[in-house]
Amino acid sequence: MHILIIEDDRELCGALKEQLDARSHHVTCCHTGSEALYCAMNGVYDLILLDRMLPEIDGLSILRSIRQNRITTPVILTTALGAVNDRIDGLDCGADDYLVKPYAVEELMARIRALSRRPKALTEHETLSYLDMNYDADVRMLSCKGKELRLSGREALLLEFFLKNPEKTLAREQIFYRVWGPDGIVEDGNLDTYIYFLRKHLRKLKSRAVIRTVHGLGYCMEDSHVS
């Protein structure tokens, strides 16, 4: 999992990162509210560990902002404030779980495992849109300007990941994890092949959307009309 730790106590943050790294998680750390808000709004994470008391922008404000921007990444809120009303405030703002400091690392790991097992909310009919494209996930149908094209299963998973994170750079490792799964056995060149397929589909549909290579990092779906 790619976990964003937002914690102003650098010593605690470093210790948590070390524990999570040892369990094969990928960790990004932030120490101020403004830095955290930027990372949360622009990065792609599987889980956010968010301290409530932060310099510059407090944790609840960050939580409200990301939920208002339809970022559904699971959030565990951590704080030294253990009163019932404090927990209620955090959960009402959109936190998925709540840990009172000090907490045992093993309890944190258990909460992470529990959230990773939680099924994502399902809708009867999910449609994703970006620019001039609409994608019907139920039937794997991509449409643009009156034209339609049905995708293969792997193409569909890759496109859905881009459509849910438009104009964000998606690292190759993140794409492998989401499209092939954490235990998937896949050659590095397979991703490039499916990127080629999607680019070909977008050109065929004459969409404004393009998939740009971000050298040394991964790929980004963006508007070709924006220079």
Side-chain angles (χ1 to χ4, degrees):
M1 297 178 70
H2 187 185
I3 299 175
L4 175 63
I5 300 179
I6 303 172
E7 171 60 63
D8 65 331
D9 185 331
R10 293 174 182 266
E11 185 176 348
L12 173 59
C13 191
L16 289 172
K17 183 179 186 306
E18 185 177 338
Q19 292 284 343
L20 290 165
D21 285 343
R23 291 164 172 80
S24 301
H25 295 296
H26 176 52
V27 178
T28 298
C29 293
C30 296
H31 306 296
T32 67
S34 56
E35 179 189 13
L37 185 58
Y38 177 83
C39 289
M41 297 288 282
N42 293 282
V44 181
Y45 309 97
D46 299 295
L47 183 129
I48 298 174
L49 186 63
L50 173 62
D51 184 21
R52 178 165 176 167
M53 306 300 290
L54 293 167
E56 299 176 6
I57 305 173
D58 68 274
L60 290 187
S61 296
I62 293 170
L63 186 53
R64 290 190 192 98
S65 295
I66 65 176
R67 294 307 189 224
Q68 287 168 0
N69 282 271
R70 299 182 180 180
I71 295 172
T72 59
T73 305
V75 173
I76 299 177
L77 195 65
T78 67
T79 182
L81 303 173
V84 173
N85 287 342
D86 294 317
R87 295 198 296 271
I88 291 172
D89 287 344
L91 295 170
D92 282 347
C93 284
D96 296 271
D97 206 345
Y98 202 103
L99 270 175
V100 178
K101 296 179 181 178
Y103 53 83
V105 172
E106 288 307 321
E107 181 181 3
L108 171 62
M109 300 304 167
R111 302 287 184 100
I112 291 174
R113 290 193 296 272
L115 284 177
S116 69
R117 292 193 299 268
R118 183 180 298 177
K120 295 180 179 179
L122 298 177
T123 58
E124 292 184 1
H125 198 84
E126 183 176 17
T127 300
L128 301 172
S129 300
Y130 177 61
L131 299 175
D132 50 9
M133 294 188 300
N134 290 296
Y135 175 68
D136 187 331
D138 287 355
V139 293
R140 302 203 304 265
M141 186 68 72
L142 178 63
S143 59
C144 178
K145 301 174 183 176
K147 296 181 179 180
E148 292 185 333
L149 192 152
R150 191 182 302 275
L151 304 182
S152 70
R154 193 75 68 185
E155 290 171 346
L157 291 172
L158 182 57
L159 179 67
E160 286 177 28
F161 194 28
F162 279 117
L163 289 178
K164 290 178 178 178
N165 299 280
E167 299 171 14
K168 292 182 180 179
T169 297
L170 303 179
R172 294 179 68 90
E173 293 78 10
Q174 291 175 304
I175 298 174
F176 281 129
Y177 185 93
R178 291 298 184 92
V179 177
W180 279 270
D183 301 316
I185 300 175
V186 55
E187 295 182 3
D188 196 55
N190 284 15
L191 174 56
D192 302 305
T193 300
Y194 280 99
I195 292 290
Y196 169 79
F197 289 155
L198 286 189
R199 284 172 170 165
K200 185 176 180 181
H201 295 331
L202 295 177
R203 289 195 299 269
K204 184 175 181 179
L205 294 174
K206 297 182 179 180
S207 173
R208 287 173 54 182
V210 294
I211 299 174
R212 179 172 62 89
T213 300
V214 183
H215 294 289
L217 293 175
Y219 298 95
C220 176
M221 176 173 280
E222 61 185 19
D223 188 349
S224 62
H225 291 191
V226 176
S227 58

